[in-house]
Amino acid sequence: MSDDRLIVALDVPNVVAGMELSQKLGDAVSFYKIGLGMLTGGGLALANELKSEHGKKIFLDMKFFDISATVEAAVRGVAQFDLDLLTVHGDPHVVSAAREGASGSDMKILAVTILTSLDRADLDGSLIKAGDIVDLVQERAGRAFDAGADGVIASPQEAALIRALPEAKGKLIVTPGVRPAGAALGDQKRVATPAQAIADGVDHIVVGRPIWQAADPRAAALAITAEMAGK
Ligand code: C5P
């Protein structure tokens, strides 16, 4: 019944709320994203429980960034748990260190190119080189793939451009900012529908509030998987 192209962002405060939500979703959802906000609320324990006792796939959204040795050690630590996807920032030294840390495990490394919350003025403030964000995203994605990333996180606007890169062959594109038609946008500005994202070459969509804030989260998840399947 579930479709693992849908990843539900468990952006709830703690393990108890996360477990309750996953129970409501039941077999409608097979893939969960656990992020930094949940880490201090027992996120890693929840990830392990969902994986080992409930057979769910897990995307740990940690966005690591540090010197190579530290990234490698951190990723090696995470790789002892049987998780599926982990994010790091897309700087080539970070990605290759993460690849090294993940060696011997099946965990895939996803690179964040440029945070979609940043605009050109933010990049100027951080002394990032001139140019359109979309061009920089494409360039960083190509470099992350060359450094060994298994995939990238991309906004719906960037997905098709990244999919067109020769380096993206066989790589994953994972896209947040997905909203079913008519759903509230929240703070997401550049959105696509589930069907559009899949048509643009996205492998997994990450959806949070339209599911966990819904009166019936299971029905909301099923509606999204039906839309992805073109029903
Ligand atoms: O509630 P919503 O569907 O907007 O949740 C999307 C999820 O994807 C959240 O966990 C958010 O932090 C994450 N995310 C995002 N945009 C990015 C990177 C991650 O929305 N660029």
Side-chain angles (χ1 to χ4, degrees):
M1 168 172 293
S2 60
D3 178 338
D4 78 0
R5 291 179 298 177
L6 170 64
I7 302 179
V8 174
L10 273 183
D11 294 330
V12 292
N14 55 46
V15 179
V16 175
M19 213 56 221
E20 272 170 18
L21 178 63
S22 77
Q23 273 157 8
K24 274 189 204 155
L25 293 169
D27 63 1
V29 171
S30 56
F31 216 143
Y32 286 101
K33 177 173 97 72
I34 293 178
L36 274 176
M38 219 301 196
L39 196 63
T40 48
L44 205 48
L46 178 63
N48 285 323
E49 186 172 343
L50 286 172
K51 179 85 196 203
S52 57
E53 288 173 34
H54 300 273
K56 304 298 181 187
K57 293 188 177 177
I58 302 293
F59 166 11
L60 205 59
D61 188 14
M62 294 289 115
K63 298 189 181 73
F64 287 142
F65 179 86
D66 210 316
I67 62 170
S68 299
T70 304
V71 170
E72 186 180 331
V75 174
R76 180 156 297 125
V78 172
Q80 329 166 48
F81 307 104
D82 176 26
L83 307 179
D84 299 279
L85 302 175
L86 173 72
T87 45
V88 301
H89 280 271
D91 304 63
H93 82 275
V94 175
V95 173
S96 49
R99 255 284 34 96
E100 198 55 40
S103 60
S105 85
D106 292 332
M107 187 173 70
K108 293 196 163 71
I109 301 296
L110 298 181
V112 176
T113 55
I114 294 175
L115 293 172
T116 52
S117 54
L118 302 181
D119 60 16
R120 186 59 249 182
D122 296 314
L123 299 190
D124 290 343
S126 299
L127 306 180
I128 307 282
K129 79 168 185 177
D132 274 0
I133 289 197
V134 172
D135 296 335
L136 298 182
V137 163
Q138 232 188 347
E139 205 175 324
R140 271 175 69 83
R143 289 180 187 207
F145 291 140
D146 288 344
D150 298 296
V152 290
I153 308 292
S155 82
Q157 276 67 22
E158 296 153 0
L161 289 168
I162 292 174
R163 183 48 79 210
L165 288 171
E167 301 94 317
K169 199 167 188 306
K171 304 286 187 176
L172 295 174
I173 300 179
V174 178
T175 301
V178 174
R179 290 289 178 269
L185 300 190
D187 52 5
Q188 298 285 7
K189 296 193 179 93
R190 295 175 293 149
V191 300
T193 62
Q196 182 62 49
I198 297 300
D200 285 346
V202 166
D203 300 281
H204 297 281
I205 59 171
V206 177
V207 184
R209 286 161 290 183
I211 292 178
W212 63 260
Q213 288 184 343
D216 184 346
R218 183 180 162 84
L222 289 173
I224 290 173
T225 50
E227 189 182 334
M228 283 191 301
K231 288 178 195 153

